[in-house]
Amino acid sequence: RYYEYMFGQSRRRRGRRPLGARADPELSQLQVVIESPDPGCHSYPHLASNEAYHLTVTEPVAVLKANEVWGALRGLETFSQLVHEDDYGSFLVNESEIDDFPRFAHRGILLDTSRHYLPLKSILTNLDAMAFNKFNVLHWHIVDDQSFPYQSIYFPELSDKGAYSYNHIYTPTDVRLVIEYARLRGIRVIPEFDTPGHTQSWGKGQKGLLTPCYSGEQPTGSFGPVNPILNTTYNFMTKFFKEISSVFPDAYIHLGGDEVNFDCWKSNPEVKEFMKKQGFGIDYAKLESYYIQKILNIVSSYDKGYMVWQEVFDNKAQLKPETVVQVWMENNYAHELSSVTGAGFTAILAAPWYLDYISYGQDWKKYYSVEPLNFPGSEKQKKLLIGGEACLWGEFVDATNLTPRLWPRASAVGERLWSSWNVTNLQDAYKRLTNHRCRML
């Protein structure tokens, strides 16, 4: 793959080298040495994967050393960025010595395939771009209110009725392909199945799952979030998440939990009765926490860790200590990071990197200038922030504009999450990012 990136793309006509030009020393090969007895070649990348590498470029043989295969992949990417072509079609590389490792272990891109379906090809193209930028997590926001493209093995009617059409689905084979394509690039795939809100498309293929909304005594015919008071809900979720746990090999599943609208629950007489029985009064955040709690227990029983959006923490659901909380609300996110880590939870930052918000001009600068650890807290708290994600929500994004909207803007986020805290010079970054954009084309 990297040979092709470096030498296969040569489109320039080779000119004739001027007479008398001196012959430079030649680099004849790059040796890749993976030192660990268990290099990880046949396993999946995970949060604790070692991505460090050491690259020495001197003639005649350059050496790339890494402890695990994941470090070797990052080093190959760096080496490919050092190679450039001159006007005469020769390939050149500067003598270099590089000792490199990521600052944060979780460096993610969120793609949303529900608001608009993304064909397999555009997901794979973006996995390539992620590898070019040393991202290592695809947060796959696969379903939402608008459509349910994931073809379930246990519950095929979810996509039969909930997808935009029969063509707009991801079959089990598609999902396996994405996971393997990502693995070969050192990228984890973390699926998100967001409940109890954001679930309108689930209701089409799963009757009785959503809460019927009422106007006075009468059902209105519309539906709200998942119905948290029925045993059938939890029976369904138990089977469904059992499947998800076996289909997706990563140690984590994202369970969502954001933006739950309580109006429909408040209108439903059975829900109100249940609230009274449970002693929740009129605090619907307690009902949400009751539901989330049950889902968390189901997922834990399959030996999976889980990630949630910040509302789950804000609404005081009982969380297991190893829960990962994703902070997305832009207003005062430093304070939220402080609260989440202060409570002992691991955090991921997405708030300043919502790339679906676009503006005229060079908005990459504001993404680049974020300092993730710039929040009040002890050293111990700072260690609990394991990284961040650039999110591209799909309301106005499909295959036609996905790549140019995401790249190279996300490259600025990639560098912020990989490089040392003191690499902050905007002019310097501008030069590198403009070159990198051409390289990615």
Side-chain angles (χ1 to χ4, degrees):
R1 192 163 82 234
Y2 275 96
Y3 188 89
E4 188 64 22
Y5 291 150
M6 289 183 275
F7 308 120
Q9 304 288 319
S10 180
R11 289 180 288 265
R12 221 173 275 136
R13 275 191 51 215
R14 305 208 177 316
R16 175 131 342 134
R17 186 169 295 286
L19 287 170
R22 67 189 177 80
D24 288 314
E26 290 218 332
L27 184 64
S28 60
Q29 62 171 196
L30 169 66
Q31 259 182 18
V32 182
V33 182
I34 299 174
E35 300 179 312
S36 164
D38 181 17
C41 298
H42 302 295
S43 60
Y44 289 94
H46 53 96
L47 186 59
S49 290
N50 184 345
E51 295 173 286
Y53 64 90
H54 188 96
L55 177 63
T56 312
V57 182
T58 52
E59 42 99 19
V61 175
V63 180
L64 167 60
K65 278 188 179 169
N67 200 41
E68 294 180 5
V69 69
W70 319 116
L73 285 170
R74 306 298 172 236
L76 281 171
E77 178 55 45
T78 294
F79 182 76
S80 76
Q81 294 180 17
L82 297 175
V83 173
H84 54 283
E85 196 180 353
D86 72 7
D87 293 344
Y88 306 104
S90 294
F91 291 94
L92 307 175
V93 62
N94 287 343
E95 202 167 290
S96 318
E97 177 149 17
I98 296 172
D99 205 11
D100 196 17
F101 54 89
R103 182 181 175 201
F104 291 104
H106 182 114
R107 305 178 308 282
I109 296 284
L110 178 147
L111 290 183
D112 166 4
T113 56
S114 171
R115 270 77 179 214
H116 283 92
Y117 176 83
L118 295 175
L120 208 51
K121 187 167 181 258
S122 67
I123 295 176
L124 302 182
T125 300
N126 277 281
L127 285 166
D128 282 327
M130 286 170 65
F132 298 155
N133 292 276
K134 300 190 175 82
F135 279 96
N136 65 357
V137 176
L138 171 63
H139 174 167
W140 192 355
H141 186 89
I142 190 166
V143 299
D144 207 298
D145 283 329
Q146 289 80 354
S147 74
F148 198 107
Y150 171 78
Q151 189 177 46
S152 165
I153 303 155
Y154 291 165
F155 301 103
E157 62 282 7
L158 285 168
S159 60
D160 285 353
K161 301 204 166 89
Y164 285 129
S165 81
Y166 286 126
N167 295 320
H168 297 88
I169 59 168
Y170 303 108
T171 65
T173 308
D174 295 336
V175 172
R176 279 196 299 274
L177 177 62
V178 168
I179 292 167
E180 181 59 11
Y181 199 89
R183 184 187 83 84
L184 293 172
R185 286 153 186 76
I187 297 170
R188 302 161 57 199
V189 177
I190 298 179
E192 180 184 352
F193 288 90
D194 187 358
T195 67
H198 288 276
T199 47
Q200 289 298 300
S201 68
W202 301 50
K204 294 176 180 166
Q206 200 55 34
K207 294 284 169 270
L209 181 65
L210 304 184
T211 308
C213 309
Y214 278 68
S215 176
E217 305 289 299
Q218 291 304 312
T220 61
S222 63
F223 294 88
V226 168
N227 192 334
I229 71 170
L230 302 178
N231 288 338
T232 50
T233 293
Y234 301 106
N235 296 341
F236 163 77
M237 292 295 180
T238 300
K239 265 192 99 167
F240 181 72
F241 279 109
K242 182 177 188 187
E243 173 186 326
I244 299 309
S245 300
S246 67
V247 167
F248 290 91
D250 199 83
Y252 287 86
I253 298 174
H254 201 303
L255 297 173
D258 62 320
E259 300 182 316
V260 182
N261 184 324
F262 297 148
D263 293 346
C264 188
W265 283 351
K266 286 176 181 169
S267 76
N268 183 299
E270 287 169 12
V271 173
K272 284 193 278 206
E273 186 54 39
F274 182 82
M275 291 280 288
K276 215 181 286 169
K277 260 206 204 107
Q278 294 287 332
F280 293 161
I282 52 165
D283 185 354
Y284 284 83
K286 283 191 173 139
L287 180 61
E288 180 189 0
S289 294
Y290 168 87
Y291 167 82
I292 294 274
Q293 205 50 60
K294 285 191 168 274
I295 299 298
L296 299 183
N297 291 339
I298 288 167
V299 171
S300 310
S301 73
Y302 300 128
D303 271 350
K304 289 283 188 184
Y306 41 76
M307 297 168 59
V308 293
W309 294 108
Q310 69 180 70
E311 289 96 317
V312 176
F313 168 81
D314 296 342
N315 291 341
K316 310 206 169 22
Q318 287 283 296
L319 299 174
K320 276 179 37 189
E322 55 275 25
T323 306
V324 178
V325 178
Q326 187 161 7
V327 173
W328 70 274
M329 290 183 181
E330 175 85 71
N331 56 334
N332 213 351
Y333 67 80
H335 174 75
E336 182 75 8
L337 284 174
S338 200
S339 308
V340 170
T341 56
F345 294 111
T346 302
I348 285 170
L349 178 61
W353 294 315
Y354 265 40
L355 270 52
D356 48 307
Y357 292 123
I358 53 174
S359 57
Y360 185 73
Q362 296 186 36
D363 59 359
W364 68 271
K365 291 178 177 174
K366 67 176 187 226
Y367 305 136
Y368 190 80
S369 303
V370 171
E371 171 41 63
L373 295 188
N374 199 359
F375 64 89
S378 64
E379 272 314 295
K380 191 174 162 206
Q381 281 176 258
K382 309 274 165 137
K383 283 196 172 68
L384 287 170
L385 180 63
I386 55 169
E389 289 185 356
C391 301
L392 193 67
W393 296 99
E395 284 86 352
F396 306 103
V397 175
D398 64 10
T400 62
N401 61 354
L402 169 75
T403 306
R405 186 158 297 184
L406 188 51
W407 309 102
R409 294 158 78 228
S411 304
V413 183
E415 182 165 309
R416 176 54 51 238
L417 293 171
W418 178 282
S419 293
S420 175
W421 65 273
N422 56 1
V423 179
T424 52
N425 185 311
L426 281 168
Q427 283 73 31
D428 189 43
Y430 177 75
K431 280 196 296 233
R432 280 178 294 100
L433 286 172
T434 48
N435 277 334
H436 189 52
R437 177 179 179 273
C438 296
R439 197 185 291 123
M440 288 197 290
L441 292 175

